Amino acid sequence: MRGIVKFIIAILIAAVSLVTYWCNRQENEFTGQMQHVDMTVEQEIALGLQAAPQMASQYGGLHPDEQARAEVNAIGQRLVQSTRVSETPYKFDFHLLADEETVNAFALPGGQIFITAGLLRRLSSEAQLAGVLGHEIGHVVGRHSAQQLAKAKLTQGLTGAAAIATYDPDNPASQTGAIAAAMIGKLMNMRYGREDELESDKLAVRLTGEAGYDPRAMIEVMRILEEASGGARGPEFTQTHPNPGNRIAEIERAIQQEYPNGLPAGLVQ
Ligand SMILES: [Zn+2]
């Protein structure tokens, strides 16, 4: 009898998690993708602003060179102002971080975008920097953080349900079933994360091109990241992002799709 009650509770928890997830399905106005998010744009912006100082302090805080910081922000703002991104409700800030060792760039939900000095000094052109920032803008307008949070909530609900269904108080070792369920949940998120990265690469190609930068600089960025990952201290960008080598082919395809008749002349390198 106890087993049946446990089973029913587990089914109910799983059902509520799934229904909540599926009811929060909506079309992303920028990308046109159907996605599951359960927070508003205002909540995304507030969350990003709240987390920004803590995030910056993990990478040595903002870079002391005020002019370098202003230049990074200016290139980011050019990407926003000269593309459809300016029509979105997000408020963008582009921050240069002091950390010289870490090779990384990342975006918080709502428009707070960061690049480390360690990555910036490896870049050799304005278009490459635009490519990196364009990729991070892609994460924001793609609402990837909000999507990941909704997925994490679903996974948590399903894992909780599995733990209840498989938990045997007489034999706590049966928790292995719950652990396996948690691992499956993690794998699921990782795969979705890869798709987000590829979508951001595609958006970076589109945004850099629209802003007058050569989108092929994205390919150079991938080569720089690949090279940087050969060092003793692997760049975090390649830990949180898929293998740069695999991304080059996808970026080349995206450029082909955006510019079937070839790239226009006079793009900024
Ligand atoms: Zn990314």
Side-chain angles (χ1 to χ4, degrees), residues 30-263:
F30 194 89
T31 64
Q33 299 279 335
M34 291 305 289
Q35 60 182 184
H36 302 273
V37 287
D38 63 356
M39 59 199 305
T40 64
V41 167
E42 289 72 27
Q43 284 171 323
E44 285 179 273
I45 294 170
L47 187 65
L49 285 170
Q50 201 181 352
Q54 201 187 331
M55 206 63 167
S57 71
Q58 279 181 27
Y59 296 87
L62 296 179
H63 198 281
D65 185 341
E66 218 168 287
Q67 201 190 329
R69 260 164 38 209
E71 277 168 23
V72 166
N73 191 51
I75 292 166
Q77 297 302 341
R78 174 173 166 178
L79 279 171
V80 173
Q81 293 311 323
S82 51
T83 62
R84 223 158 50 80
V85 174
S86 61
E87 293 162 23
T88 69
Y90 296 109
K91 194 203 164 300
F92 286 91
D93 290 309
F94 300 87
H95 309 282
L96 173 60
L97 299 171
D99 193 333
E100 298 273 349
E101 303 303 316
T102 313
V103 177
N104 207 4
F106 47 87
L108 287 170
Q112 298 299 308
I113 288 171
F114 302 85
I115 179 169
T116 61
L119 174 52
L120 183 67
R121 71 188 167 101
R122 282 178 164 81
L123 303 178
S124 57
S125 72
E126 194 176 318
Q128 289 174 4
L129 174 57
V132 171
L133 299 179
H135 174 95
E136 300 307 328
I137 292 172
H139 282 309
V140 174
V141 296
R143 307 188 76 187
H144 295 155
S145 299
Q147 216 177 342
Q148 290 298 330
L149 288 172
K151 259 172 217 151
K153 235 190 214 176
L154 170 66
T155 308
Q156 213 174 20
L158 293 181
T159 314
I164 287 167
T166 58
Y167 183 68
D168 180 355
D170 303 323
N171 177 20
S174 69
Q175 281 280 45
T176 47
I179 292 163
M183 275 171 63
I184 290 165
K186 248 186 202 165
L187 282 174
M188 188 176 90
N189 284 339
M190 262 162 65
R191 205 191 70 205
Y192 283 104
R194 273 188 69 87
E195 281 170 17
D196 292 346
E197 296 306 336
L198 296 177
E199 183 177 66
S200 287
D201 282 345
K202 270 189 202 163
L203 287 168
V205 165
R206 197 201 296 171
L207 297 178
T208 50
E210 274 176 34
Y213 291 108
D214 191 329
R216 287 171 298 190
M218 276 295 287
I219 296 167
E220 296 160 17
V221 169
M222 292 306 134
R223 299 221 165 95
I224 290 164
L225 290 173
E226 218 168 14
E227 224 178 78
S229 68
R233 184 171 177 170
E236 282 184 55
F237 199 80
T238 53
Q239 284 163 23
T240 53
H241 290 74
N243 185 321
N246 299 341
R247 288 161 71 187
I248 289 176
E250 294 288 335
I251 292 167
E252 279 170 345
R253 195 174 311 153
I255 294 171
Q256 188 67 33
Q257 270 172 4
E258 285 287 318
Y259 302 96
N261 304 314
L263 287 155

